[in-house]
């Protein structure tokens, strides 16, 4: 878990060439969809359904520490914008189950420059909520890592890198990283499989800005 500077990059134990990227079912956001999604609770509800599977409004309220009235309202709003849908195969009687309609969401950076002020504001809410969620997930891991077996603590990663790249090179690298991650989708089920969250951040930095840290990567 302790980060180390200047260590060798981690290498996969199996050749990546044999794995083809599996593209997830992703919803591309337009201005209307963005405005419908850009709310902290709606984004948390959608993330929970995507990661944990179908659930009722009451179950989601309990997990997220919200009232069932609030989760019910925001689920209906998500449904109106096509982000969630009924899961009738799970329902019993009057109990309404919800599931995510897509595996992921794609954000179009041009929305940050949209002529509609409300769309630009929604874009800011959307991106800041993602950043907050990433920070919360890291904090949750740091808080609970001692309860996980040693192999999972070894398998976790906290690394950051500083490179000199053009915008085009950065975009290429980001897409190559996404391809590697997608090549691990839909692997055959194995004993010991858990849900694993990966965060990727590619952030340009102007010379002279105070850096958050030096290059760090977890020692393997």
């Amino acid at each position: 878990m302790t980060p180390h500077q200047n260590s060798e990059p981690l290498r996969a134990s199996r050749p990546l060439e044999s794995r083809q990227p599996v593209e997830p079912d992703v919803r591309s956001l337009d201005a209307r969809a963005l405005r419908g999604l850009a709310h902290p609770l709606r984004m948390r509800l959608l993330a929970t359904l995507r990661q944990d599977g179908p659930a009722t409004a009451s179950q989601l309220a309990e997990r997220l520490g919200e009232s069932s009235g609030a989760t019910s309202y925001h689920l209906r709003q998500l449904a109106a914008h096509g982000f969630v849908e009924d899961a009738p195969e799970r329902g019993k009687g009057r109990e309404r189950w919800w599931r995510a309609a897509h595996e992921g969401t794609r954000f179009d950076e041009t929305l940050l420059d949209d002529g509609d002020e409300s769309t630009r504001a929604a874009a800011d809410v959307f991106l800041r909520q993602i950043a907050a969620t990433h920070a919360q997930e890291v904090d949750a891991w740091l808080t609970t890592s001692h309860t996980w077996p040693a192999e999972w603590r070894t398998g976790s990663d906290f690394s950051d890198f500083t490179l000199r790249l053009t915008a085009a090179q950065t975009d290429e690298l980001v897409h190559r990283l996404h391809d590697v991650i997608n090549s691990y989708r839909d692997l055959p089920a194995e004993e010991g499989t858990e849900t694993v969250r990966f965060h990727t951040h590619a952030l340009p930095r102007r010379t002279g800005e105070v850096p958050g840290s030096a290059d760090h990567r977890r020692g393997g």
Side-chain angles (χ1 to χ4, degrees):
M1 286 269 313
T2 303
H4 295 281
Q5 286 185 278
N6 302 321
S7 59
E8 287 297 315
L10 301 180
R11 291 178 173 83
S13 58
R14 289 179 287 175
L16 294 176
E17 291 80 3
S18 62
R19 300 192 181 121
Q20 294 299 316
V22 177
E23 291 297 328
D25 179 17
V26 173
R27 167 79 180 274
S28 295
L29 295 178
D30 58 19
R32 180 180 179 278
L34 173 65
R35 292 193 298 269
L37 177 60
H39 182 283
L41 181 53
R42 291 180 198 175
M43 293 178 67
R44 291 169 64 203
L45 288 166
L46 182 57
T48 301
L49 290 174
R50 284 176 174 169
Q51 294 173 28
D52 299 331
T56 66
S58 297
Q59 290 171 338
L60 291 166
E62 184 175 357
R63 291 181 202 174
L64 300 179
E66 300 284 345
S67 70
S68 58
T71 56
S72 292
Y73 170 78
H74 287 292
L75 284 166
R76 291 194 299 271
Q77 293 302 307
L78 287 169
H81 288 86
F83 290 103
V84 303
E85 59 192 13
D86 286 314
E89 70 279 2
R90 301 293 294 271
K92 297 179 180 179
R94 297 179 60 187
E95 197 172 42
R96 188 176 190 181
W97 285 70
W98 298 93
R99 65 187 175 200
H102 310 88
E103 295 176 275
T105 304
R106 181 177 291 111
F107 178 81
D108 185 343
E109 286 75 14
T110 61
L111 293 168
L112 291 166
D113 300 316
D114 192 273
D116 187 333
E117 183 178 353
S118 64
T119 299
R120 297 197 303 274
D124 185 70
V125 170
F126 176 82
L127 294 174
R128 290 184 182 278
Q129 180 60 30
I130 290 175
T133 298
H134 288 184
Q136 291 163 4
E137 290 179 341
V138 170
D139 184 70
W141 167 249
L142 292 174
T143 301
T144 64
S145 61
H146 67 282
T147 68
W148 285 80
E151 59 265 28
W152 277 109
R153 295 197 299 273
T154 301
S156 69
D157 182 51
F158 281 90
S159 299
D160 61 84
F161 306 86
T162 302
L163 304 175
R164 297 284 295 174
L165 302 171
T166 66
Q169 290 166 338
T170 303
D171 185 63
E172 177 189 0
L173 177 53
V174 168
H175 282 84
R176 289 178 65 183
L177 289 171
H178 290 186
D179 283 344
V180 171
I181 292 171
N182 285 332
S183 71
Y184 281 80
R185 292 184 185 274
D186 297 339
L187 293 177
E190 296 183 18
E191 184 177 355
T193 296
E194 300 283 359
T195 298
V196 179
R197 293 281 290 154
F198 283 85
H199 303 160
T200 65
H201 303 154
L203 310 173
R205 172 183 170 269
R206 289 189 172 91
T207 301
E209 289 181 353
V210 178
S213 67
D215 281 16
H216 289 96
R217 62 207 73 176
R218 185 190 59 76

